């Protein structure tokens, strides 16, 4: 605990849909605005499916060190044929990426099991303690895009 009673923060995001979730939009289309499906999915899933453009404008990259763990198979096919590329059944690995992450890992795990997975727990504890998932030399940061110089298109 730091001065002032606040904990030092180095959060780890687990399977976050930082760039939306393609599968949410596909399912929303299939269910064609079904109110029961909307109720069962909950407001977060509905935002991802139907209001992502509005929701995305409210999001910002954290101003502190953070890590991201994505579930996936480590290939380009993934598990779910409705999700392009590697995925954890719900979120594509590419959808989890957020520029500015201090470290990034893909683990062989399905979305609903990420929090309970022993490997994920080990990686999270190491990140919280050391600021990286394994070692500083093995970090896989996600770089921030370079700023466009004034006068450049």
């Amino acid at each position: 605990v730091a001065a002032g009673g606040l904990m030092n923060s180095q959060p780890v995001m687990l399977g976050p849909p930082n760039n939306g979730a393609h599968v949410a939009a596909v399912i929303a289309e299939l269910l064609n605005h079904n109110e029961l499906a909307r109720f069962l999915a909950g407001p977060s899933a509905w935002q991802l499916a139907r209001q992502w453009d509005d929701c995305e404008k409210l999001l910002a990259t954290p101003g502190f060190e953070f890590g991201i763990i994505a579930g996936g198979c480590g290939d380009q096919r993934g598990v779910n044929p409705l999700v392009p590329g590697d995925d954890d059944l719900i979120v594509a690995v590419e959808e989890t990426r957020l520029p500015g992450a201090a470290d990034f890992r893909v683990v062989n795990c399905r979305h609903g099991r990420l929090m309970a997975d022993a490997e994920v727990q080990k990686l999270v504890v190491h990140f919280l303690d050391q600021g990286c998932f394994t070692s500083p030399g093995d970090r896989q940061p996600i770089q921030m895009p370079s700023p466009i110089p004034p006068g450049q298109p």
Side-chain angles (χ1 to χ4, degrees):
V1 178
L6 297 175
M7 295 182 63
N8 291 327
S9 293
Q10 289 180 306
V12 176
M13 300 177 189
L14 303 180
N18 285 319
N19 296 287
H22 180 76
V23 75
V26 168
I27 291 171
E29 276 303 311
L30 291 172
L31 297 175
N32 198 21
H33 300 287
N34 180 301
E35 289 302 314
L36 177 60
R38 183 177 182 165
F39 174 75
L40 293 174
S44 298
W46 203 254
Q47 281 181 323
L48 285 170
R50 294 290 188 204
Q51 300 165 343
W52 175 249
D53 290 340
D54 295 333
C55 184
E56 183 180 28
K57 294 172 191 169
L58 303 173
L59 302 176
T61 300
F64 42 80
E65 196 168 75
F66 64 97
I68 299 172
I69 298 176
C73 297
D75 62 22
Q76 290 304 311
R77 292 175 314 181
V79 180
N80 189 338
L82 298 176
V83 178
D86 196 7
D87 64 85
D88 65 5
L89 194 61
I90 305 296
V91 179
V93 170
E94 287 304 311
E95 292 170 335
T96 67
R97 293 182 176 278
L98 183 63
D103 206 349
F104 179 83
R105 286 293 183 280
V106 177
V107 297
N108 189 359
C109 186
R110 302 300 170 260
H111 189 79
R113 298 279 308 142
L114 282 167
M115 288 188 353
D117 185 81
E119 179 184 3
V120 170
Q121 292 173 355
K122 179 180 167 189
L123 292 170
V124 168
V125 168
H126 198 273
F127 188 88
L128 295 175
D129 188 46
Q130 303 292 322
C132 56
F133 290 125
T134 55
S135 70
D138 288 334
R139 276 186 177 209
Q140 298 174 24
I142 302 174
Q143 300 298 321
M144 294 291 285
S146 298
I148 299 173
Q152 296 288 323

